């Protein structure tokens, strides 16, 4: 007891932030003559504490910073894991013939982990989301281009290949051509000439109205058409 009167234990670190996978260093030093007994590192306090390091025992991830020192009991924990987060205490025990008791302990060091794995997962998720948006945009552009091409092809087919009934008015050398259908009344009047006596006129019926999805005015179908051919 008299030997322990000048003993002091120093645990200077209040908080430590460490990254998963790195090495954690916990500092603990002593001064003066202490009673007979070991110095240990405990995680947590009370009945739920866990021995992190002591001289006797096997602790594969934990080593002393200065081995065999009687005053420096600092330790290193390599390959830090998520379960290593918590509060650590450097404790000096007093050993007697009948019992082992806590003689002095540090104020505790709170260890927090910087979860790089979580940061990486967030970054990876953001990258995947950006690629999905880009793919959706490209697919939408391709669909619109394909749909526009189908409309133009349909328009050409309707104007060139579909059979459309004709209502014609015929002219003969002795008579003047007359319009037989009211839809042909919009045609410009033909000037009579000697050449017109040998020409037949025909007026096409209005084409079926096609959906107008194209933004370009030139992509729409013509609604009316007229032809003039030489008589055989």
């Amino acid at each position: 007891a008299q030997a322990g009167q000048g003993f002091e234990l120093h645990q200077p670190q209040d908080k430590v932030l460490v990254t998963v996978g790195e090495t954690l260093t916990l500092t603990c030093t002593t001064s003066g003559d202490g009673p007979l007994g070991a110095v240990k590192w405990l995680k947590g306090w009370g009945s739920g504490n866990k021995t992190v390091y002591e001289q006797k025992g096997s602790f594969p991830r934990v080593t002393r910073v200065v081995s065999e020192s009687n005053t420096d009991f600092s330790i290193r924990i390599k390959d830090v894991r998520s379960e290593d987060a918590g509060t650590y205490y450097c404790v000096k025990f007093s050993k007697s013939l009948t019992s082992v008791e806590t003689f002095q302990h540090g104020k505790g060091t709170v260890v927090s982990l910087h979860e790089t794995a979580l940061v990486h997962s967030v970054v990876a998720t953001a990258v995947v989301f950006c690629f999905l948006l880009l793919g959706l945009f490209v697919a939408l552009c391709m669909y619109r281009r394909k749909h526009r091409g189908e409309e133009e092809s349909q328009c050409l087919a309707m104007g060139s290949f579909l059979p459309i009934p004709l209502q014609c008015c015929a002219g003969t050398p002795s008579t003047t051509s007359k319009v037989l259908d009211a839809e042909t009344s919009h045609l410009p009047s033909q000037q009579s000439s000697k050449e017109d006596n040998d020409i037949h006129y025909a007026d096409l019926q209005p084409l079926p109205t096609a959906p107008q999805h194209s933004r370009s005015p030139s992509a729409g179908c013509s609604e009316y058409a007229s032809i003039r051919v030489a008589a055989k």
Side-chain angles (χ1 to χ4, degrees):
Q2 292 178 353
Q5 289 180 355
F7 179 84
E8 291 185 359
L9 185 146
H10 305 278
Q11 186 179 352
Q13 298 163 299
D14 293 328
K15 297 180 180 180
V16 176
L17 180 63
V18 63
T19 302
V20 173
E22 292 184 348
T23 299
L24 169 65
T25 300
L26 298 174
T27 303
C28 178
T29 59
T30 62
S31 62
D33 295 330
L36 182 64
V39 176
K40 301 180 181 180
W41 277 94
L42 303 179
K43 180 184 177 185
W45 194 255
S47 59
N49 69 73
K50 174 184 177 182
T51 300
V52 176
Y53 180 80
E54 62 178 326
Q55 291 181 348
K56 295 180 181 180
S58 176
F59 305 92
R61 294 194 297 126
V62 184
T63 58
R64 288 185 63 177
V65 175
V66 182
S67 60
E68 304 300 332
S69 174
N70 294 325
T71 58
D72 191 340
F73 296 92
S74 303
I75 60 173
R76 293 190 183 99
I77 302 176
K78 65 180 182 180
D79 190 21
V80 172
R81 303 167 184 173
S82 58
E83 59 266 24
D84 292 330
T87 304
Y88 292 77
Y89 296 89
C90 182
V91 184
K92 170 66 177 178
F93 288 89
S94 175
K95 182 179 180 181
S96 65
L97 295 177
T98 58
S99 65
V100 177
E101 298 178 354
T102 300
F103 179 73
Q104 196 174 123
H105 64 82
K107 56 186 177 181
T109 301
V110 179
V111 176
S112 302
L113 301 182
H114 181 64
E115 297 285 354
T116 55
L118 178 61
V119 175
H120 291 166
S121 64
V122 172
V123 173
T125 303
V127 171
V128 172
F129 183 72
C130 290
F131 274 107
L132 288 177
L133 287 180
L134 180 61
L136 182 62
F137 177 75
V138 172
L140 181 61
C141 290
M142 293 180 64
Y143 172 79
R144 293 183 63 182
R145 182 176 298 179
K146 180 180 179 182
H147 190 61
R148 184 180 302 172
E150 289 179 352
E151 288 183 353
E152 293 177 353
S153 299
Q154 181 181 6
C155 194
L156 291 176
M158 292 175 63
S160 302
F161 302 103
L162 290 180
I164 300 175
L166 300 178
Q167 290 187 357
C168 302
C169 55
T172 62
S174 59
T175 62
T176 306
S177 298
K178 296 183 180 179
V179 177
L180 299 181
D181 189 271
E183 295 293 340
T184 61
S185 60
H186 67 281
L187 292 177
S189 59
Q190 303 293 334
Q191 297 180 357
S192 59
S193 65
K194 187 176 183 180
E195 182 183 0
D196 288 343
N197 294 331
D198 298 328
I199 296 178
H200 288 183
Y201 295 91
D203 183 34
L204 298 180
Q205 290 294 314
L207 292 175
T209 303
Q212 299 295 327
H213 296 288
S214 175
R215 295 182 179 179
S216 175
S218 60
C221 300
S222 300
E223 293 188 357
Y224 295 93
S226 61
I227 61 173
R228 187 172 67 175
V229 297
K232 296 183 180 179

